[in-house]
């Protein structure tokens, strides 16, 4: 068993390196700095309090993201953002045959265009893309932290990517014509 | 009709296929042009998202120290050097994240970077900065821009023609990108000073593939050459041999 001080030292050592990525993730979810700071602070306070229930040797990073995510989902912005969750039903749209190849299309996208498209995605879609492509979490980690089956991770991810692609396609092809 | 492999491309690029499927998909991408192009597009998007979104928002130093205090063990006061140290640590993490933009961990290498450059060039409205079919125009254009010189082959009795050249940056170093045409395909030849980032590729001529592209790489007199194209492996090899024989 840890004494309290040893516990706190371990927590500090594990948690502080995650501050920058957690803050980035929180800001992408919440959309502004004040809420991002509140989310991250609440996450750290909750995590420190609950650290006794964290099983050493398991995935600490995923645990922290899960706390942050739950904190966000119960916040005002989070509740608003997830009300219209028509997620799993819409069909995935395939590009038309005469569209530009995506490899060439996306090579033209600059960072600002990618960011704007990402901002326009529904939160659940933005979130899963961030966890997979930015945080490089495995499907299993995402499934555990979001409390959904791996199959849902895969279908949600493919819908998220397809919305992202059609947003970009509209922007980029529209801009050129 | 869409190929049955198409739905697995996402999981392939995320490194989530079983070993057997992963291998089968790699093989499939060599023969199915549609899937190869789709994979290239998806990979481009994945890399772009990583680049655009990671480290986009950075905690302020005040916020960082507020969190630091909240989680610090009670009985210990913060040493005065800690905030500076913590900042330095962040900078290192940000740099590490910035550099980790290439996607499949197994393919984290300069060849992925070079493939992306080649594709971007093909997509660009102005693929080259110096447009000329004459090697005696293209070669001097690089002089003064690069810390090294290289030779271009005589192409008159070959199937290849020179389109032009541009500056290229790979692994934080400048180099030359030469664009050639063969029938309906374009081939990029990159020339860099040989350094640590390329060492893994080996010095002897080596043929490989990255998605739908054929590659040929070697070193010669301190320079690293990489030839890449969606043209056939035989065409890529033929141009590589011409470049190796240039004087
Ligand atoms: Zn296919």
């Amino acid at each position: 068993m840890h004494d309290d001080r040893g516990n706190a030292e371990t927590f500090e050592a594990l948690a502080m390196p995650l501050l920058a990525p957690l803050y980035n993730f929180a800001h992408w979810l919440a959309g502004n700095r004040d809420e991002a700071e509140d989310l991250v602070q609440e996450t750290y306070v909750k995590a420190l309090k609950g650290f006794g229930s964290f099983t050493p040797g398991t995935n600490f990073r995923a645990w922290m993201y899960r706390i942050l995510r739950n904190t966000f989902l119960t916040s005002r912005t989070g509740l608003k953002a997830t009300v219209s969750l028509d997620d799993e039903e819409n069909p995935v749209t395939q590009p038309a045959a005469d569209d530009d190849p995506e490899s060439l299309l996306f090579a033209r996208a600059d960072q600002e265009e990618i960011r704007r498209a990402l901002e326009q995605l529904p939160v659940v879609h933005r979130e899963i893309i961030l966890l997979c492509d930015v945080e490089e979490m495995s499907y299993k980690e995402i499934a555990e932290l979001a409390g959904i089956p791996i199959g849902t991770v895969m279908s949600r991810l493919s819908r998220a990517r397809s919305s992202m692609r059609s947003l970009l396609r509209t922007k980029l092809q529209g801009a050129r014509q | 009709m869409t190929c049955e492999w198409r739905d697995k491309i996402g999981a392939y690029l995320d490194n989530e296929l079983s070993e057997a499927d992963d291998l089968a998909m790699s093989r499939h991408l060599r023969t199915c042009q549609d899937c190869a192009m789709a994979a290239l597009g998806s990979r481009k998007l994945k890399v772009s998202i990583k680049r655009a979104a990671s480290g986009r928002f950075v905690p302020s130093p005040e916020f960082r120290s507020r969190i630091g205090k909240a989680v610090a063990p009670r009985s210990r006061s913060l040493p005065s050097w800690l905030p500076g140290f913590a900042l330095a640590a962040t900078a290192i993490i940000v740099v590490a994240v910035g550099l980790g933009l290439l996607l499949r961990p197994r393919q984290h290498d300069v060849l992925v970077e070079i493939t992306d450059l080649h594709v971007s060039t093909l997509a660009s409205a102005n693929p080259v900065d110096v447009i000329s079919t004459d090697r005696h125009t293209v070669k001097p254009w690089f002089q003064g821009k690069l810390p090294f010189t290289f030779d271009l082959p005589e192409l008159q009795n070959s199937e290849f023609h020179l389109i032009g050249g541009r500056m290229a940056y790979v692994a934080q170093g400048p180099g030359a990108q030469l664009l050639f045409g063969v029938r309906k395909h374009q081939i990029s030849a990159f020339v860099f000073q040989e350094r640590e980032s390329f060492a893994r590729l080996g010095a002897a001529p080596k043929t490989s593939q990255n998605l739908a592209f054929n590659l040929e790489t070697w070193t010669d007199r301190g320079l690293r050459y990489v030839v890449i194209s969606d043209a056939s492996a035989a065409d890529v090899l033929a141009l590589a041999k011409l470049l190796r024989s240039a004087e």
Side-chain angles (χ1 to χ4, degrees):
Chain A
M1 286 302 288
H2 290 296
D3 59 42
D4 273 0
R5 179 161 168 209
N7 219 14
E9 267 173 10
T10 314
F11 179 78
E12 188 188 23
L14 287 170
M16 285 313 282
L18 295 174
L19 181 61
L22 276 168
Y23 177 83
N24 183 53
F25 181 62
H27 199 306
W28 272 111
L29 290 184
N32 67 73
R33 182 180 133 167
D34 286 349
E35 279 186 66
E37 289 190 348
D38 287 350
L39 274 176
V40 172
Q41 178 148 1
E42 206 178 324
T43 300
Y44 273 76
V45 170
K46 280 182 188 167
L48 179 57
K49 269 195 202 140
F51 191 50
S53 71
F54 172 75
T55 319
T58 61
N59 194 331
F60 181 75
R61 185 170 76 122
W63 186 69
M64 290 293 282
Y65 275 83
R66 185 164 72 222
I67 296 173
L68 189 134
R69 181 178 190 271
N70 291 340
T71 309
F72 171 70
L73 289 179
T74 52
S75 74
R76 217 150 28 99
T77 313
L79 285 172
K80 238 188 297 168
T82 46
V83 171
S84 58
L85 219 176
D86 60 351
D87 186 25
E88 326 297 335
E89 274 128 51
N90 296 342
V92 174
T93 51
Q94 291 287 349
D98 59 346
D99 282 344
D100 285 1
E102 295 188 330
S103 53
L104 303 192
L105 191 65
F106 299 146
R108 282 203 298 270
D110 65 24
Q111 296 211 331
E112 234 2 87
E113 282 162 332
I114 302 269
R115 284 171 186 160
R116 274 201 302 273
L118 208 49
E119 279 162 13
Q120 282 171 24
L121 287 182
V123 165
V124 273
H125 285 174
R126 183 158 69 234
E127 174 192 60
I128 201 155
I129 286 183
L130 289 167
L131 291 174
C132 181
D133 292 346
V134 176
E135 300 310 324
E136 295 183 350
M137 287 189 186
S138 68
Y139 291 177
K140 187 162 165 279
E141 282 177 303
I142 298 172
E144 278 165 14
L145 85 84
I148 52 178
I150 286 193
T152 308
V153 172
M154 292 170 80
S155 59
R156 189 175 292 177
L157 195 54
S158 104
R159 275 173 181 77
R161 283 173 171 161
S162 129
S163 331
M164 183 80 187
R165 281 200 289 267
S166 54
L167 275 172
L168 280 171
R169 186 173 284 286
T170 313
K171 274 184 213 293
L172 294 167
Q173 285 183 332
R176 217 162 32 106
Q177 276 151 15
Chain B
M1 206 188 70
T2 311
C3 177
E4 55 175 322
W5 290 87
R6 195 64 172 266
D7 290 342
K8 287 190 178 174
I9 289 174
Y12 172 72
L13 294 173
D14 293 336
N15 240 332
E16 292 278 350
L17 290 184
S18 68
E19 219 172 300
D21 277 0
D22 193 274
L23 199 67
M25 177 63 100
S26 302
R27 261 192 229 115
H28 177 70
L29 288 176
R30 270 172 230 161
T31 54
C32 178
Q33 185 71 13
D34 281 356
C35 283
M37 288 312 281
L40 208 60
S42 299
R43 188 171 77 174
K44 191 84 217 167
L45 184 61
K46 197 174 155 74
V47 174
S48 304
I49 289 172
K50 171 103 190 175
R51 239 175 246 177
S54 71
R56 167 82 175 93
F57 305 107
V58 181
S60 69
E62 299 77 41
F63 180 65
R64 175 173 284 279
S65 77
R66 198 159 95 214
I67 297 296
K69 276 183 202 132
V71 304
R74 290 275 148 69
S75 50
R76 175 161 64 84
S77 60
L78 285 175
S80 58
W81 48 264
L82 193 63
F85 172 77
L87 275 180
T90 321
I92 291 166
I93 289 165
V94 169
V95 170
V97 168
L99 293 176
L101 22 94
L102 300 167
L103 52 151
R104 306 190 70 214
R106 271 175 280 160
Q107 294 183 1
H108 268 210
D109 63 34
V110 289
L111 291 186
V112 174
E113 219 177 310
I114 285 173
T115 308
D116 282 347
L117 261 184
H118 175 65
V119 172
S120 311
T121 305
L122 300 185
S124 164
N126 307 300
V128 287
D129 294 329
V130 50
I131 306 170
S132 176
T133 55
D134 183 358
R135 61 179 171 148
H136 301 297
T137 306
V138 172
K139 190 185 153 181
W141 184 85
F142 285 103
Q143 273 162 14
K145 295 187 177 71
L146 289 173
F148 59 87
T149 61
F150 55 90
D151 292 310
L152 288 172
E154 175 55 64
L155 297 174
Q156 230 158 37
N157 296 315
S158 76
E159 293 176 292
F160 301 95
H161 60 274
L162 183 60
I163 296 170
R166 66 197 283 261
M167 293 288 291
Y169 292 85
V170 166
Q172 283 90 51
Q177 179 179 4
L178 303 151
L179 200 60
F180 297 89
V182 59
R183 290 178 291 275
K184 282 182 171 175
H185 299 278
Q186 297 191 334
I187 306 186
S188 287
F190 292 88
V191 190
F192 298 95
Q193 275 171 313
E194 176 67 356
R195 56 208 146 87
E196 189 57 35
S197 326
F198 301 114
R200 207 184 54 75
L201 303 175
K206 190 173 129 191
T207 308
S208 62
Q209 269 200 328
N210 192 3
L211 294 177
F213 293 94
N214 290 304
L215 285 125
E216 184 77 18
T217 181
W218 69 95
T219 61
D220 184 20
R221 283 165 283 184
L223 298 180
R224 163 66 58 182
Y225 292 77
V226 180
V227 179
I228 176 168
S229 178
D230 62 342
S232 71
D235 281 340
V236 170
L237 183 61
L239 182 63
K241 282 186 174 155
L242 279 167
L243 283 162
R244 284 201 282 269
S245 68
E247 276 172 38

